[in-house]
Amino acid sequence: MEIERKFLIGELPESLLSHCTDTIKLDFPFHEIEQGYLCTKPVVRIRRQDDSYFLTYKSKGFMSREEYNLPLTKEAYEHLRTKTDGVYIKKTRYIIPADMGLQIELDIFHGAHKGLMLAEVEFPDEQTALNYQPPVWLGEEVTFSEKFHNSYLSQHPFISA
């Protein structure tokens, strides 16, 4: 079971930034991710995260939903990549330590979704999720908005305001 809350980031606080030319770079561990969707209802996606490959199924839902990850070989991933539909999602995911032993996963999108920044916080249970008080910089909560699911974004590229 995946239990998470999602937040739209408008601007990162200066305390997190480390400036490099015109790109955002943070001094936290990160992963380079690309993913595509074989199906959006139900969600069946393939993902490359650094040098690892996965096939994922996600059930319906917003804050809580079932999620199954199965490992793929690079060859299987490349084969399935040709079968995806919509826009491929590309993002850098930073792992930022948070209170209560939690982690903020900050996604900075590239390509068709450039300008979009979303943060997710995963929780061990729904009560912890409901009681969580996010730092102010996390911005507007979009946990219950379908338009910020990556599966939705694959069909509707983000348009920066």
Side-chain angles (χ1 to χ4, degrees), residues 106-144:
L106 173 63
D107 289 342
I108 298 176
F109 289 76
H110 311 292
H113 301 90
K114 185 175 182 173
L116 178 61
M117 293 187 290
L118 292 171
E120 298 175 353
V121 182
E122 290 195 25
F123 301 93
D125 56 67
E126 287 189 9
Q127 194 59 49
T128 303
L130 293 170
N131 291 334
Y132 180 68
Q133 295 298 311
V136 164
W137 68 268
L138 285 187
E140 176 188 352
E141 182 163 5
V142 294
T143 301
F144 300 99

Side-chain angles (χ1 to χ4, degrees), residues 2-161:
E2 176 185 63
I3 303 167
E4 69 182 11
R5 289 175 59 189
K6 189 178 285 198
F7 303 87
L8 181 61
I9 308 301
E11 190 174 323
L12 293 171
E14 191 67 31
S15 61
L16 291 181
L17 293 174
S18 149
H19 297 284
C20 290
T21 63
D22 65 350
T23 62
I24 294 174
K25 177 153 175 51
L26 306 179
D27 288 325
F28 294 99
F30 66 93
H31 300 287
E32 294 298 337
I33 295 172
E34 67 174 23
Q35 61 195 41
Y37 290 82
L38 300 168
C39 182
T40 58
K41 292 185 182 182
V43 172
V44 180
R45 81 162 181 233
I46 58 168
R47 172 183 278 179
R48 178 188 60 78
Q49 179 170 301
D50 303 322
D51 294 325
S52 298
Y53 305 89
F54 304 94
L55 173 75
T56 301
Y57 164 82
K58 289 188 176 197
S59 68
K60 289 182 187 178
F62 291 99
M63 188 174 75
S64 300
R65 56 189 187 157
E66 291 180 85
E67 177 180 277
Y68 299 97
N69 288 300
L70 303 168
L72 289 175
T73 64
K74 180 179 181 180
E75 293 76 23
Y77 172 82
E78 292 296 335
H79 173 76
L80 290 171
R81 194 177 196 282
T82 64
K83 307 207 180 306
T84 59
D85 187 28
V87 176
Y88 229 69
I89 305 281
K90 295 181 181 185
K91 58 189 175 181
T92 302
R93 172 170 285 171
Y94 290 94
I95 310 301
I96 303 170
D99 293 340
M100 301 169 26
L102 299 171
Q103 294 180 336
I104 297 169
E105 295 179 342
L106 173 63
D107 289 342
I108 298 176
F109 289 76
H110 311 292
H113 301 90
K114 185 175 182 173
L116 178 61
M117 293 187 290
L118 292 171
E120 298 175 353
V121 182
E122 290 195 25
F123 301 93
D125 56 67
E126 287 189 9
Q127 194 59 49
T128 303
L130 293 170
N131 291 334
Y132 180 68
Q133 295 298 311
V136 164
W137 68 268
L138 285 187
E140 176 188 352
E141 182 163 5
V142 294
T143 301
F144 300 99
S145 174
E146 182 183 77
K147 77 180 215 176
F148 291 103
H149 281 190
N150 284 277
S151 56
Y152 180 90
L153 290 168
S154 74
Q155 304 300 310
H156 307 89
F158 175 75
I159 297 172
S160 176

